[in-house]
Protein backbone atom coordinates (compact mmCIF):
# COMPACT_ATOMS: atom_id res chain seq x y z
CA UNK A 1 0.00 0.00 0.00
CA UNK A 2 1.21 3.52 -0.77
CA UNK A 3 0.87 6.38 1.72
CA UNK A 4 1.06 9.67 -0.21
CA UNK A 5 1.29 11.82 2.93
CA UNK A 6 4.37 9.99 4.13
CA UNK A 7 5.63 9.16 0.61
CA UNK A 8 6.33 5.53 1.56
CA UNK A 9 5.12 2.17 0.37
CA UNK A 10 5.03 -1.18 2.17
CA UNK A 11 6.09 -4.34 0.40
CA UNK A 12 4.35 -7.21 2.12
CA UNK A 13 1.63 -5.67 4.23
CA UNK A 14 -1.17 -3.25 3.63
CA UNK A 15 0.20 -0.59 5.97
CA UNK A 16 2.69 2.17 5.29
CA UNK A 17 6.23 1.93 6.55
CA UNK A 18 7.53 4.62 8.84
CA UNK A 19 10.67 6.28 7.63
CA UNK A 20 12.11 8.89 9.93
CA UNK A 21 14.72 9.67 12.49
CA UNK A 22 14.00 8.75 16.06
CA UNK A 23 14.74 11.16 18.87
CA UNK A 24 16.32 9.21 21.71
CA UNK A 25 15.82 12.07 24.18
CA UNK A 26 12.15 12.79 23.33
CA UNK A 27 10.15 13.72 26.43
CA UNK A 28 13.13 13.52 28.78
CA UNK A 29 13.89 17.21 29.27
CA UNK A 30 17.63 16.58 28.77
CA UNK A 31 17.95 19.74 26.66
CA UNK A 32 21.75 19.69 26.52
CA UNK A 33 21.87 15.90 25.93
CA UNK A 34 24.45 15.33 28.67
CA UNK A 35 22.57 12.44 30.28
CA UNK A 36 21.69 14.44 33.41
CA UNK A 37 18.60 16.39 34.43
CA UNK A 38 19.61 19.59 36.18
CA UNK A 39 19.26 23.36 36.25
CA UNK A 40 21.24 23.65 33.00
CA UNK A 41 18.39 21.90 31.17
CA UNK A 42 15.88 24.21 32.87
CA UNK A 43 17.83 27.30 31.77
CA UNK A 44 18.03 26.09 28.15
CA UNK A 45 14.32 25.32 27.94
CA UNK A 46 13.31 28.59 29.66
CA UNK A 47 15.44 30.45 27.13
CA UNK A 48 13.73 28.65 24.26
CA UNK A 49 10.26 29.39 25.64
CA UNK A 50 11.00 33.09 26.04
CA UNK A 51 12.89 33.59 22.77
CA UNK A 52 12.42 30.65 20.39
CA UNK A 53 15.56 30.07 18.33
CA UNK A 54 15.90 26.29 18.05
CA UNK A 55 13.83 24.73 15.27
CA UNK A 56 15.42 21.30 15.66
CA UNK A 57 12.55 18.82 15.88
CA UNK A 58 14.38 16.52 18.30
CA UNK A 59 15.08 19.43 20.67
CA UNK A 60 11.39 20.37 20.60
CA UNK A 61 10.40 16.74 21.33
CA UNK A 62 12.96 16.57 24.15
CA UNK A 63 11.78 19.78 25.82
CA UNK A 64 8.03 19.04 25.42
CA UNK A 65 7.76 16.92 28.56
CA UNK A 66 3.96 16.87 28.67
CA UNK A 67 3.69 16.02 24.96
CA UNK A 68 1.18 18.77 24.11
CA UNK A 69 3.18 20.06 21.13
CA UNK A 70 4.17 23.39 22.69
CA UNK A 71 6.82 24.59 25.09
CA UNK A 72 5.70 26.46 28.21
CA UNK A 73 6.04 26.54 31.98
CA UNK A 74 4.08 23.27 32.24
CA UNK A 75 7.03 21.46 30.64
CA UNK A 76 9.42 23.21 33.02
CA UNK A 77 7.49 22.15 36.12
CA UNK A 78 7.58 18.51 35.07
CA UNK A 79 11.34 18.82 34.63
CA UNK A 80 11.70 20.51 38.04
CA UNK A 81 9.60 17.72 39.59
CA UNK A 82 11.90 15.13 38.02
CA UNK A 83 14.99 16.97 39.25
CA UNK A 84 13.64 17.36 42.81
CA UNK A 85 12.22 13.81 42.77
CA UNK A 86 9.45 14.24 45.34
CA UNK A 87 11.40 16.36 47.84
CA UNK A 88 8.69 19.02 48.01
CA UNK A 89 5.08 19.40 49.11
CA UNK A 90 3.18 20.84 46.15
CA UNK A 91 0.90 23.83 46.52
CA UNK A 92 -2.78 23.22 45.94
CA UNK A 93 -3.60 26.92 45.55
CA UNK A 94 -1.86 30.20 44.88
CA UNK A 95 -2.87 33.85 44.90
CA UNK A 96 -1.16 36.65 42.95
CA UNK A 97 -0.98 40.05 44.60
CA UNK A 98 -0.37 42.93 42.20
CA UNK A 99 0.74 46.29 43.56
CA UNK A 100 2.05 49.48 42.02
CA UNK A 101 5.58 48.17 42.31
CA UNK A 102 5.40 44.48 41.43
CA UNK A 103 3.81 41.10 41.98
CA UNK A 104 3.99 38.66 44.87
CA UNK A 105 2.54 35.18 45.19
CA UNK A 106 1.12 33.41 48.23
CA UNK A 107 0.83 29.62 48.11
CA UNK A 108 0.14 26.76 50.49
CA UNK A 109 3.11 24.74 49.25
CA UNK A 110 5.76 24.46 46.54
CA UNK A 111 5.30 26.46 43.34
CA UNK A 112 7.41 24.91 40.57
CA UNK A 113 6.90 27.68 38.05
CA UNK A 114 5.12 30.85 37.02
CA UNK A 115 4.75 32.12 33.48
CA UNK A 116 3.24 35.54 32.75
CA UNK A 117 2.55 37.87 29.89
CA UNK A 118 2.23 41.47 31.02
CA UNK A 119 1.48 44.57 28.97
CA UNK A 120 2.83 47.97 29.89
CA UNK A 121 3.85 51.41 28.70
CA UNK A 122 7.26 52.58 27.53
CA UNK A 123 8.16 53.78 31.05
CA UNK A 124 7.95 50.23 32.50
CA UNK A 125 10.98 48.48 34.02
CA UNK A 126 11.16 45.14 35.78
CA UNK A 127 13.51 43.33 38.12
CA UNK A 128 12.84 39.63 38.67
CA UNK A 129 13.49 37.89 41.96
CA UNK A 130 16.92 36.40 42.50
CA UNK A 131 15.42 33.89 44.95
CA UNK A 132 14.50 31.28 42.32
CA UNK A 133 16.07 28.37 40.45
CA UNK A 134 15.72 30.39 37.23
CA UNK A 135 14.05 33.74 36.55
CA UNK A 136 14.15 35.37 33.13
CA UNK A 137 12.10 37.56 30.83
CA UNK A 138 11.95 38.94 27.30
CA UNK A 139 10.32 42.25 26.39
CA UNK A 140 9.10 42.87 22.85
CA UNK A 141 7.42 46.22 22.36
CA UNK A 142 5.00 46.72 25.24
CA UNK A 143 4.69 43.02 26.17
CA UNK A 144 6.94 41.26 28.67
CA UNK A 145 6.97 37.45 28.82
CA UNK A 146 8.48 36.15 32.06
CA UNK A 147 9.16 32.82 33.71
CA UNK A 148 10.11 32.25 37.34
CA UNK A 149 11.06 28.66 38.17
CA UNK A 150 10.85 27.42 41.78
CA UNK A 151 10.55 30.81 43.51
CA UNK A 152 11.90 30.61 47.05
CA UNK A 153 10.13 33.72 48.31
CA UNK A 154 6.77 35.29 47.60
CA UNK A 155 8.27 38.16 45.62
CA UNK A 156 8.18 37.42 41.87
CA UNK A 157 9.28 40.83 40.63
CA UNK A 158 9.49 44.51 41.40
CA UNK A 159 8.70 47.10 38.79
CA UNK A 160 8.21 50.74 37.97
CA UNK A 161 5.47 51.99 35.69
CA UNK A 162 1.93 50.74 35.13
CA UNK A 163 1.34 47.20 33.90
CA UNK A 164 -1.45 44.70 33.39
CA UNK A 165 -1.20 40.94 33.81
CA UNK A 166 -2.65 39.62 30.54
CA UNK A 167 -2.06 35.93 31.18
CA UNK A 168 -0.61 33.94 34.06
CA UNK A 169 0.07 30.24 34.59
CA UNK A 170 1.10 28.92 37.98
CA UNK A 171 2.00 25.28 38.41
CA UNK A 172 3.24 22.83 40.99
CA UNK A 173 5.30 19.79 39.97
CA UNK A 174 2.13 18.00 38.85
CA UNK A 175 0.97 20.71 36.43
CA UNK A 176 -1.20 23.80 36.21
Amino acid sequence: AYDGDMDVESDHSNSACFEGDSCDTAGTGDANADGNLDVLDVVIIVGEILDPQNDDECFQETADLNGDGQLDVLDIVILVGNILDGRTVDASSAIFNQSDNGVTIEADGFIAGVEMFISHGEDFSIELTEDAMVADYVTKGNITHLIVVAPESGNLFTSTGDFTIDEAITANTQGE
Side-chain angles (χ1 to χ4, degrees), residues 59-172:
F59 175 84
Q60 298 298 321
E61 290 177 20
T62 299
D64 184 13
L65 278 88
N66 65 0
D68 67 357
Q70 62 186 22
L71 297 183
D72 57 27
V73 73
L74 299 177
D75 300 302
I76 296 295
V77 300
I78 293 170
L79 179 56
V80 168
N82 290 340
I83 292 169
L84 296 178
D85 194 26
R87 292 178 280 185
T88 62
V89 176
D90 280 334
S92 61
S93 68
I95 298 171
F96 289 111
N97 297 302
Q98 181 177 350
S99 68
D100 289 340
N101 62 350
V103 172
T104 60
I105 189 169
E106 294 177 36
D108 63 354
F110 180 70
I111 296 293
V114 174
E115 182 174 7
M116 278 187 188
F117 289 88
I118 55 178
S119 56
H120 47 77
E122 295 294 327
D123 64 338
F124 180 79
S125 68
I126 187 170
E127 185 173 329
L128 295 180
T129 181
E130 293 183 12
D131 294 329
M133 182 182 287
V134 176
D136 203 358
Y137 71 95
V138 170
T139 298
K140 293 181 180 175
N142 291 343
I143 303 292
T144 295
H145 182 189
L146 66 92
I147 295 178
V148 179
V149 179
E152 295 176 17
S153 70
N155 181 41
L156 296 179
F157 65 85
T158 56
S159 62
T160 59
D162 294 335
F163 67 94
T164 301
I165 299 172
D166 298 323
E167 182 181 342
I169 299 171
T170 305
N172 60 25

Side-chain angles (χ1 to χ4, degrees), residues 31-82:
N32 61 359
D34 68 354
N36 298 311
L37 293 181
D38 52 33
V39 70
L40 298 175
D41 300 304
V42 173
V43 169
I44 291 168
I45 296 172
V46 165
E48 184 64 18
I49 292 169
L50 293 174
D51 190 20
Q53 300 288 319
N54 192 336
D55 60 358
D56 177 60
E57 192 172 316
C58 187
F59 175 84
Q60 298 298 321
E61 290 177 20
T62 299
D64 184 13
L65 278 88
N66 65 0
D68 67 357
Q70 62 186 22
L71 297 183
D72 57 27
V73 73
L74 299 177
D75 300 302
I76 296 295
V77 300
I78 293 170
L79 179 56
V80 168
N82 290 340

